[in-house]
Amino acid sequence: MIAHTISLSLGESSYPIYVGQQIFSDLTLLLRHIHGKQVFVVTQEKLVPYIALLQAALASYQCDFFYLPDGEQFKTLAQWQKILETLIQNNHERSTTLIAFGGGVVGDITGFAAACYQRGVNYLQIPTTLIAQVDAAIGGKTAVNHPSGKNRIGAFHQPQCVIVDIDLLKTLPEREYVAGLAEVIKYGLIYDTHFFNWLEENRAALLARNTKALLHAVHTSAHIKSQIVSQDERDQDLRNVLNFGHTFGHALEVLGNYQRWLHGEAVAMGMMLATRLSGDLGLLSRQDVTRIVNCLHAYGFASPSVLPPATDILKAMQHDKKVRDGKINFILLTAIGRAEKIATVTKVQLQAVLESDS
Amino acid sequence: MIAHTISLSLGESSYPIYVGQQIFSDLTLLLRHIHGKQVFVVTQEKLVPYIALLQAALASYQCDFFYLPDGEQFKTLAQWQKILETLIQNNHERSTTLIAFGGGVVGDITGFAAACYQRGVNYLQIPTTLIAQVDAAIGGKTAVNHPSGKNRIGAFHQPQCVIVDIDLLKTLPEREYVAGLAEVIKYGLIYDTHFFNWLEENRAALLARNTKALLHAVHTSAHIKSQIVSQDERDQDLRNVLNFGHTFGHALEVLGNYQRWLHGEAVAMGMMLATRLSGDLGLLSRQDVTRIVNCLHAYGFASPSVLPPATDILKAMQHDKKVRDGKINFILLTAIGRAEKIATVTKVQLQAVLESDS
């Protein structure tokens, strides 16, 4: 049952985001968006229980599968190249359709392969993790990582549609589920006060994966992301606010070799740091700083007291894409529900936040 | 002196193509299109005599150089990755500008690096070969080759401008210069009867690199290409006609391991084959077939009598991007100056053309 259809408006590249339950198994939805005779599914071994369904649905197509190993450390040029080689070996033509069936890593690398195979082919997103459903699968940012930084090589390439089925989240491991909630909380913080209030109040239901609560959280998040992306596809301006917590977060992921923390965990710590920085700079009241940090703790996110040395984090941040002419642009909060890009943050201020104990 | 400024109209991605003499050395033109503080030049050792000029012009920028080895066989993912690694090592930010200073290989690989570095950065094209000035540098098709076929991995990514200085052609080796004329002749054949007549009549002047003749040929070619691209950026329809001679030509390049024939030479043979096929199918008069083949011979292009076996060529053509659902789309001539996409060519007809001795 499709509960909501969000339209991501981008002129010729506009596409629908279907949000609901039992819609992955509604195969007509899938088939409506495949136009050629070939399909190429990028997925993961752990999703095998669901894959038989896909295989049955796609029986009338030439359908090839590529299994990506699990983990951010496989979002590499080497794996991307293997996908391209497999497409070539199986004679996939320009009219083929790629399907990203998995988490954010699968979505990002599949999208980037679709962007570059024969100068661009169609692809669909069927995200299977919370973080991919509310963030990665929406907006056409595709990429692979480089040892020096996340998403340093990639392209903008919009999918034909995104199918968000919250039933797929039932089997998601607890740690991954909670990590995904970091991005959900982010949308409240940067864009929607009421949603943040709702997230504070409905924490228990959401952590218990209550269907109604989950549907509301996923739909609201996907809707906010779509609103922002449709106003700034290429990340020139407004879309920057989506990076709240990510400048610190990316640096932590690099230092943890993409293995120590899940993306959402790193972003949650990054949001705590960015919130404290917002307070230090007088942009956000001390009361709101405390309220936000408490909310993140209540959802189970750790304090950044386990951080690597401040000098290491500062160095890792130098490689971030958000650096322009040597200055780091920071997304900071001016209220709960409102984020802004601040270009005047000094190294001393950064160091103070990284070294504070609170 | 800028003789002509062609505007390639593509909405937000529109850009100018400057055609003239001594405009490479007019540095204000170059600087007008660089917005950040970093520049990254991809070029070739053999262009060193010109590079000092570039270095001087860019003295106030952080300017790094990457030297690509000479030849189509280096238009690979491996070299593309080296370019990306060098950009990362030198801390190039999203605001950097790449400059492709060289032939078609340099332009294609630089454009593809610009398309994927940090999800897309600016780049300029300064083509130094005839074939790049009239074809490769215009239109935003970027790519690298794969052992299975040309340009199988790439993206559409438009440059900020194209600087076409015919003075750079003075030192071009004879074989490369003549090969470039294949694409010039192609424009007459597919789009402009008068231009083809002019090319027949002015062969001696053009082969002698007479300035006036060369300026006319380059400007007319760049203009036709721009007209076609602005109507069909993504090669969905009209732009296909630019592939006249290329389906055969690409297969020959693959079989020759990208080394035996220059691209233009392979295209010239491909155009002879496609012209004869047009005649065989009754689309083009025998008289026009003879006239076209004679013109190509007069410009110095070899008969396809030196071809590999027909079965090898047919097999190599299976991998072409123009294959859709197993059928090869052919661009054929219906008159001198008019090309059409024909989807009904049979394998038997192809074989007949490939095995004929004329």
Side-chain angles (χ1 to χ4, degrees):
Chain A
M1 189 196 65
I2 299 172
H4 309 276
T5 301
I6 300 164
S7 173
L8 206 164
S9 304
L10 285 169
E12 279 179 30
S13 313
S14 297
Y15 56 92
I17 300 163
Y18 306 105
V19 181
Q21 286 184 271
Q22 296 181 303
I23 55 171
F24 166 64
S25 49
D26 173 8
L27 306 167
T28 56
L29 192 60
L30 188 64
L31 302 186
R32 196 187 305 163
H33 293 279
I34 299 174
H35 301 300
K37 293 176 179 170
Q38 298 178 309
V39 177
F40 188 92
V41 181
V42 180
T43 186
Q44 300 188 290
E45 292 283 359
K46 66 181 176 190
L47 291 167
V48 158
Y50 296 106
I51 286 171
L53 256 177
L54 259 185
Q55 268 172 321
L58 300 170
S60 64
Y61 297 84
Q62 176 198 326
C63 185
D64 298 296
F65 283 78
F66 182 95
Y67 292 90
L68 192 72
D70 201 17
E72 185 85 27
Q73 70 271 32
F74 294 103
K75 202 174 109 176
T76 58
L77 270 182
Q79 290 292 332
W80 168 82
Q81 201 173 334
K82 276 190 193 171
I83 293 173
L84 295 175
E85 293 287 348
T86 312
L87 281 161
I88 290 171
Q89 274 160 27
N90 291 286
N91 293 309
H92 280 262
E93 301 173 4
R94 222 188 230 179
S95 55
T96 191
T97 301
L98 273 58
I99 297 181
F101 182 60
V105 170
V106 167
D108 283 4
I109 201 168
T110 307
F112 187 41
C116 298
Y117 186 58
Q118 308 227 26
R119 294 203 187 94
V121 298
N122 287 343
Y123 77 112
L124 317 182
Q125 291 274 18
I126 311 180
T128 60
T129 63
L130 179 57
I131 201 159
Q133 291 192 346
V134 299
D135 185 17
I138 299 167
K141 275 194 178 180
T142 76
V144 293
N145 297 328
H146 181 269
S148 73
K150 279 199 71 163
N151 300 327
R152 300 212 76 192
I153 299 163
F156 288 93
H157 189 56
Q158 301 294 341
Q160 300 300 297
C161 75
V162 185
I163 297 176
V164 175
D165 186 340
I166 62 161
D167 283 350
L168 294 169
L169 305 182
K170 281 181 186 159
T171 53
L172 197 65
E174 185 66 9
R175 186 178 167 195
E176 275 189 68
Y177 179 77
V178 173
L181 291 173
E183 298 281 1
V184 173
I185 295 167
K186 184 191 75 178
Y187 291 115
L189 289 173
I190 62 169
Y191 204 78
D192 189 337
T193 318
H194 295 297
F195 186 45
F196 183 76
N197 295 342
W198 183 91
L199 287 166
E200 281 185 324
E201 286 157 19
N202 293 273
R203 192 183 73 241
L206 208 47
L207 285 172
R209 308 190 199 189
N210 168 284
T211 300
K212 206 178 143 200
L214 190 50
L215 204 54
H216 179 72
V218 169
H219 172 239
T220 307
S221 299
H223 183 72
I224 293 174
K225 173 104 188 225
S226 299
Q227 290 272 311
I228 292 172
V229 170
S230 68
Q231 291 171 70
D232 176 28
E233 181 185 8
R234 298 272 162 160
D235 205 359
Q236 303 293 310
D237 184 27
L238 177 63
R239 191 166 176 166
N240 294 174
V241 299
L242 294 169
N243 283 320
F244 177 63
H246 283 61
T247 304
F248 286 121
H250 282 173
L252 294 176
E253 286 187 271
V254 171
L255 293 175
N257 205 20
Y258 300 121
Q259 294 178 312
R260 182 161 169 199
W261 295 290
L262 295 175
H263 177 67
E265 292 168 345
V267 166
M269 286 193 283
M271 290 197 294
M272 288 191 208
L273 290 165
T275 297
R276 279 175 8 201
L277 186 56
S278 307
D280 287 359
L281 297 181
L283 300 168
L284 189 68
S285 72
R286 281 288 152 202
Q287 196 184 351
D288 281 345
V289 172
T290 306
R291 191 178 152 199
I292 294 167
V293 172
N294 285 349
C295 175
L296 287 165
H297 283 319
Y299 268 95
F301 294 109
S303 277
S305 56
V306 293
L307 290 185
T311 46
D312 291 357
I313 299 177
L314 286 171
K315 200 175 159 203
M317 279 168 24
Q318 295 299 321
H319 279 293
D320 200 278
K321 284 194 302 305
K322 289 168 285 296
V323 173
R324 192 183 155 95
D325 300 334
K327 283 184 198 127
I328 293 187
N329 286 315
F330 257 90
I331 304 300
L332 296 175
L333 298 181
T334 56
I336 290 177
R338 206 166 69 218
E340 272 179 36
K341 181 155 72 175
I342 306 293
T344 55
V345 179
T346 65
K347 214 171 159 180
V348 175
Q349 289 165 327
L350 283 181
Q351 209 140 8
V353 164
L354 290 170
E355 286 169 354
S356 95
D357 247 348
S358 59
Chain B
M1 186 196 66
I2 299 173
H4 309 276
T5 301
I6 300 164
S7 173
L8 205 164
S9 304
L10 287 169
E12 279 180 28
S13 312
S14 298
Y15 55 93
I17 300 163
Y18 305 105
V19 181
Q21 287 183 270
Q22 296 181 305
I23 55 172
F24 166 65
S25 49
D26 172 7
L27 306 168
T28 55
L29 192 59
L30 188 64
L31 302 185
R32 196 188 305 163
H33 292 279
I34 299 174
H35 302 299
K37 292 177 178 169
Q38 297 178 308
V39 178
F40 188 91
V41 181
V42 180
T43 186
Q44 301 188 287
E45 292 284 359
K46 66 183 177 189
L47 291 167
V48 159
Y50 296 106
I51 287 171
L53 255 177
L54 259 184
Q55 269 173 323
L58 300 169
S60 64
Y61 297 84
Q62 176 199 326
C63 186
D64 298 295
F65 283 77
F66 182 94
Y67 292 91
L68 192 71
D70 202 15
E72 185 85 27
Q73 69 271 34
F74 294 104
K75 202 174 108 175
T76 58
L77 270 181
Q79 290 293 330
W80 169 81
Q81 201 173 334
K82 275 191 194 171
I83 293 173
L84 295 175
E85 292 287 348
T86 314
L87 280 161
I88 290 171
Q89 274 160 27
N90 291 287
N91 292 310
H92 280 261
E93 301 173 5
R94 221 188 230 179
S95 55
T96 191
T97 302
L98 272 59
I99 297 181
F101 182 61
V105 171
V106 167
D108 283 4
I109 202 168
T110 307
F112 187 41
C116 299
Y117 187 59
Q118 309 224 25
R119 294 204 187 93
V121 298
N122 287 343
Y123 77 112
L124 318 182
Q125 290 273 17
I126 311 179
T128 61
T129 63
L130 179 56
I131 201 159
Q133 292 192 345
V134 299
D135 184 17
I138 299 166
K141 275 194 179 180
T142 76
V144 294
N145 297 329
H146 181 269
S148 73
K150 279 198 70 162
N151 300 327
R152 300 211 76 192
I153 299 163
F156 288 93
H157 188 57
Q158 301 294 341
Q160 300 299 296
C161 75
V162 185
I163 297 176
V164 175
D165 187 339
I166 63 161
D167 283 351
L168 294 170
L169 305 181
K170 282 182 187 159
T171 52
L172 197 64
E174 185 66 6
R175 186 179 166 194
E176 275 190 68
Y177 179 75
V178 173
L181 291 173
E183 297 281 1
V184 173
I185 296 167
K186 183 190 77 179
Y187 291 116
L189 289 174
I190 62 169
Y191 203 79
D192 189 336
T193 318
H194 294 297
F195 186 44
F196 183 75
N197 295 342
W198 183 90
L199 287 166
E200 282 185 322
E201 285 158 18
N202 292 274
R203 193 183 72 240
L206 207 47
L207 285 172
R209 308 189 199 191
N210 167 285
T211 300
K212 206 179 144 201
L214 190 51
L215 203 54
H216 179 71
V218 168
H219 172 239
T220 306
S221 299
H223 183 71
I224 293 173
K225 173 107 190 223
S226 300
Q227 290 271 311
I228 292 172
V229 170
S230 68
Q231 290 171 70
D232 175 27
E233 180 185 9
R234 296 273 161 158
D235 205 358
Q236 303 293 310
D237 184 26
L238 177 64
R239 190 165 176 168
N240 294 174
V241 299
L242 293 169
N243 282 320
F244 178 64
H246 282 62
T247 304
F248 286 121
H250 282 172
L252 294 176
E253 287 187 270
V254 171
L255 293 175
N257 207 18
Y258 301 119
Q259 293 179 310
R260 181 161 168 200
W261 295 290
L262 295 176
H263 176 68
E265 293 168 344
V267 166
M269 287 194 284
M271 290 197 294
M272 288 191 208
L273 289 165
T275 296
R276 278 175 9 201
L277 186 56
S278 306
D280 288 358
L281 297 181
L283 300 167
L284 190 67
S285 72
R286 282 287 154 203
Q287 196 184 352
D288 281 347
V289 172
T290 306
R291 190 178 153 200
I292 294 167
V293 172
N294 285 350
C295 175
L296 288 165
H297 282 318
Y299 266 97
F301 293 109
S303 276
S305 57
V306 293
L307 290 186
T311 46
D312 291 357
I313 300 178
L314 286 171
K315 200 176 160 203
M317 279 168 24
Q318 295 299 323
H319 279 294
D320 200 279
K321 283 196 302 305
K322 287 168 286 296
V323 174
R324 193 184 156 93
D325 300 334
K327 284 184 198 126
I328 293 187
N329 285 315
F330 257 90
I331 305 301
L332 296 176
L333 299 180
T334 55
I336 290 176
R338 207 167 68 219
E340 272 179 36
K341 181 156 70 176
I342 307 292
T344 55
V345 180
T346 66
K347 215 173 159 180
V348 175
Q349 289 165 328
L350 283 181
Q351 208 141 6
V353 163
L354 289 170
E355 286 170 353
S356 95
D357 245 348
S358 58

